[in-house]
Amino acid sequence: MSDVYAQPTTGTEPAATCELARYTTLRLGGPAGRVVAGTDADEIVRAVREAGERDEPVLVLAGGSNVVIGDAGFPGTVVLVRSRGLQVVDEDAATVTVRVEAGEPWDDLVAATVANGWSGLECLSGIPGSTGATPIQNVGAYGQEVAETITGVRVHDRVDGTVGRIAAADCGFAYRSSIFKYSDRWVVLSVDFRLARSPLSGPVRYAELARALGVEVGDRVPLADARATVLRLRAGKGMVLDAADPDTRSVGSFFTNPVLDRAAYELLRERAADLGEPPSWPCPGDMVKISAAWLIDKAGFGKGHPGPEGTAISGKHTLALTNRGGTASTAALVELAREIRDGVHRRFGVTLHPEPVLVNCTI
């Protein structure tokens, strides 16, 4: 069976069969064979088990902000994750641990942590999606990653049929990845986060955010200031959902930032010598992370670059590929993604890889 787990948007609850475009931020995707909703962990597990008993493929979908679904749709059962809620499960003078249901909207959780004076998620404000999706690709932005605060993930194990907890150390967290991302074994039911009791953010690590806050990298700022500034920066890049803004009809960043070994990095520097130093960040193991947005732009694909059939690069950020409406299709979006990937490789010898989960489509 082929299972994937994707991030959410809000949407009308399902009919028996429907176009999956209504559940994705791209507003693209063909029909589902069958759609059911789970409003708590038991319902989600039951829906997945029953589909397995019918020998149907399963797509676990909490709404669709990090998934690209093919025009042919998905022939099996789509399980919509609609569970909600969070509770404090442990606390002491310095920290609090909250358990959050998989379907809880991510930004609602971040807003609640900021309001309660719990530090650790504030720089992840404005990311569309569900809480249960965040450990799957180790969501990160502006110098924070969820792996830094997750202590464990409660899952349904489809191999042995049990429900249990996987400790953070066993989740295989890496850059935009985990053991869950490309596996059909686990269905995320809830996530535990340990957060600091503090009115201040963690040390600001991201230079762009520090500049916007008027502080130095490493400084701390009030939680509300960090959240407001991140929301403003994301909105300026079309990365906060807005029904009136077609630039937000996307999956956010379509490509991950490439991580190169030292030899590949030096080769890139040679090929980009006429363009100045590529923006980069050191990574463990003498690896170097490169800005995918810079590579795309310098390869000739600027903001607003048109693709086929009503698709285009966002007018606000080169990493976002958008559905401008009209005749747009998943096939057209994938064609645009291939054009960009191949153009970057020709110019710089670097291969870009997609960040979203691809369902019945490929680049």
Side-chain angles (χ1 to χ4, degrees):
M1 286 185 187
S2 175
D3 292 38
V4 291
Y5 191 105
Q7 297 179 318
T9 63
T10 58
T12 305
E13 294 306 321
T17 304
C18 69
E19 294 292 315
L20 292 172
R22 67 193 290 189
Y23 300 113
T24 70
T25 52
L26 267 170
R27 295 295 180 255
L28 297 174
R34 185 168 176 270
V35 181
V36 296
T39 60
D40 60 31
D42 289 343
E43 288 185 357
I44 295 165
V45 171
R46 183 164 57 251
V48 171
R49 283 177 174 162
E50 289 176 353
E53 290 167 0
R54 294 189 297 269
D55 199 29
E56 293 176 354
V58 177
L59 170 63
V60 181
L61 185 69
S65 69
N66 197 50
V67 62
V68 181
I69 299 176
D71 297 314
F74 187 79
T77 294
V78 175
V79 179
L80 296 181
V81 176
R82 295 294 185 258
S83 54
R84 297 288 189 272
L86 65 146
Q87 60 178 318
V88 175
V89 294
D90 192 23
E91 57 185 322
D92 56 32
T95 66
V96 58
T97 299
V98 293
R99 179 164 297 156
V100 189
E101 296 303 309
E104 184 71 21
W106 174 253
D107 196 53
D108 288 0
L109 169 63
V110 178
T113 65
V114 169
N116 281 285
W118 302 335
S119 175
L121 303 179
E122 58 281 350
C123 292
L124 304 177
S125 293
I127 296 175
S130 72
T131 297
T134 61
I136 291 167
Q137 69 167 47
N138 185 17
V139 166
Y142 294 102
Q144 285 184 338
E145 288 184 335
V146 292
E148 299 166 357
T149 55
I150 290 175
T151 60
V153 181
R154 185 169 177 255
V155 300
H156 166 51
D157 186 334
R158 294 187 58 207
V159 171
D160 61 22
T162 62
V163 171
R165 183 178 186 274
I166 300 179
D170 298 320
C171 289
F173 289 128
Y175 172 61
R176 300 297 175 270
S177 186
S178 70
I179 62 170
F180 311 113
K181 187 165 184 179
Y182 298 112
S183 173
D184 62 2
R185 178 170 181 174
W186 297 283
V187 178
V188 174
L189 302 175
S190 66
V191 188
D192 291 354
F193 301 88
R194 181 179 293 130
L195 306 170
R197 293 183 182 274
S198 173
L200 298 179
S201 70
V204 176
R205 301 171 185 162
Y206 205 75
E208 180 189 17
L209 179 58
R211 288 193 299 270
L213 286 162
V215 300
E216 298 296 322
V217 171
D219 288 349
R220 298 173 184 264
V221 300
L223 291 174
D225 291 355
R227 173 170 167 77
T229 303
V230 167
L231 287 172
R232 176 168 57 82
L233 290 172
R234 288 185 62 85
K237 299 173 183 177
M239 298 292 188
V240 177
L241 291 179
D242 180 350
D245 183 359
D247 275 333
T248 70
R249 203 178 297 134
S250 75
V251 291
S253 298
F254 195 92
F255 297 104
T256 58
N257 292 321
V259 179
L260 308 179
D261 61 28
R262 184 60 57 176
Y265 172 61
E266 293 302 332
L267 180 60
L268 168 63
R269 292 182 68 199
E270 291 178 15
R271 298 182 73 157
D274 58 323
L275 301 171
E277 192 72 14
S280 63
W281 302 268
C283 293
D286 199 31
M287 305 291 280
V288 182
K289 185 190 299 182
I290 306 298
S291 168
W294 185 91
L295 293 170
I296 292 167
D297 181 65
K298 299 304 182 184
F301 303 100
K303 296 174 184 176
H305 176 85
E309 298 178 22
T311 62
I313 293 177
S314 166
K316 300 181 178 69
H317 200 290
T318 54
L319 270 181
L321 309 188
T322 63
N323 165 14
R324 314 304 289 184
T327 60
S329 64
T330 301
L333 189 90
V334 166
E335 184 178 338
L336 174 59
R338 290 186 185 127
E339 179 191 6
I340 294 167
R341 179 201 60 192
D342 295 346
V344 167
H345 190 269
R346 282 194 303 271
R347 177 64 178 84
F348 297 112
V350 175
T351 300
L352 296 179
H353 296 283
E355 182 168 324
V357 175
L358 305 180
V359 178
N360 287 348
C361 61
T362 182
I363 70 165

